Amino acid sequence: MLQLLSWLMMMPVFSGPASALEYPAWVAAQPVQAQPAGYRLLASAHRDLAALSAEWPGVITPFEIGRTVQNRPIWGFRIRDPARPIRRKVLVFAGLHPFEWISTETALAVAESMAAHPVSGVEVVVPAVNIDRRLVVEADQLVGRDVYRRTNMNGVDLNRDFGVHRDAVAIWRHLIPGFYQTSPAPLSQPETQALD
């Protein structure tokens, strides 16, 4: 547990709005960790996104969409063909449940593909929304511990914190009720407020 806490304490917490100009410095401040088998850690994902932003300036632009419970920036990425007018917008987000790594990898694949082949419009890709808890999951993985974590740091399931589809209807809600609870009110958490 002490190892987990010391690792989390190393994670930078920033205040104030962050812009595309601040993103490279923010990425450089992230600790470099050994990668567990399987998926990228967030710091590694952001290094890849920073490289994409540098390779495709004007096509992929990072921006801060909000803050987490622990005041970490939630980065979004506008991806567009700068030579064409914007007619449609699409939001791709991932990482509501921190132990479900595949959604973040999918969002990263979308960002990588769209940066190389942008279409008319704006694509906002948020590789991970539940960053605070994802960092806890990453710390667990780095010490060989598998703990299923579904909520943010306030104990709220972000998937049940929107204005619609708030009710837990899956059969699993009866088998594991602690994992399938509706939030106190729509958009009660900073992460879902940022997405909204």
Side-chain angles (χ1 to χ4, degrees), residues 56-138:
W56 302 98
V59 173
I60 179 168
T61 307
F63 68 104
E64 182 185 317
I65 67 166
R67 294 284 169 145
T68 66
V69 169
Q70 294 183 331
N71 200 34
R72 289 186 174 92
I74 301 171
W75 289 98
F77 300 85
R78 278 194 178 93
I79 302 169
R80 66 185 209 133
D81 179 349
R84 296 184 171 213
I86 297 166
R87 290 177 284 174
R88 292 194 169 86
K89 296 182 180 183
V90 177
L91 172 65
V92 176
F93 62 91
L96 290 181
H97 300 146
F99 198 70
E100 298 170 0
W101 296 54
I102 194 67
S103 65
T104 304
E105 289 296 321
T106 302
L108 289 166
V110 168
E112 291 163 351
S113 176
M114 295 303 296
H117 308 285
V119 295
S120 180
V122 175
E123 185 98 41
V124 180
V125 178
V126 182
V129 178
N130 195 350
I131 296 162
D132 299 335
R133 204 57 139 170
R134 168 68 184 258
L135 293 174
V136 172
V137 168
E138 288 183 2

Side-chain angles (χ1 to χ4, degrees), residues 108-188:
L108 289 166
V110 168
E112 291 163 351
S113 176
M114 295 303 296
H117 308 285
V119 295
S120 180
V122 175
E123 185 98 41
V124 180
V125 178
V126 182
V129 178
N130 195 350
I131 296 162
D132 299 335
R133 204 57 139 170
R134 168 68 184 258
L135 293 174
V136 172
V137 168
E138 288 183 2
D140 285 344
Q141 293 291 302
L142 290 170
V143 295
R145 187 176 26 216
D146 283 332
V147 179
Y148 183 73
R149 300 182 192 277
R150 185 176 174 90
T151 65
N152 73 348
M153 293 305 274
N154 285 337
V156 173
D157 181 349
L158 298 179
N159 203 36
R160 300 282 175 256
D161 194 46
F162 295 103
V164 296
H165 305 296
R166 294 176 40 75
D167 297 327
V169 295
I171 189 70
W172 301 109
R173 76 185 187 282
H174 300 294
L175 302 173
I176 321 170
F179 286 118
Y180 295 90
Q181 297 176 349
T182 302
S183 67
L187 304 176
S188 67

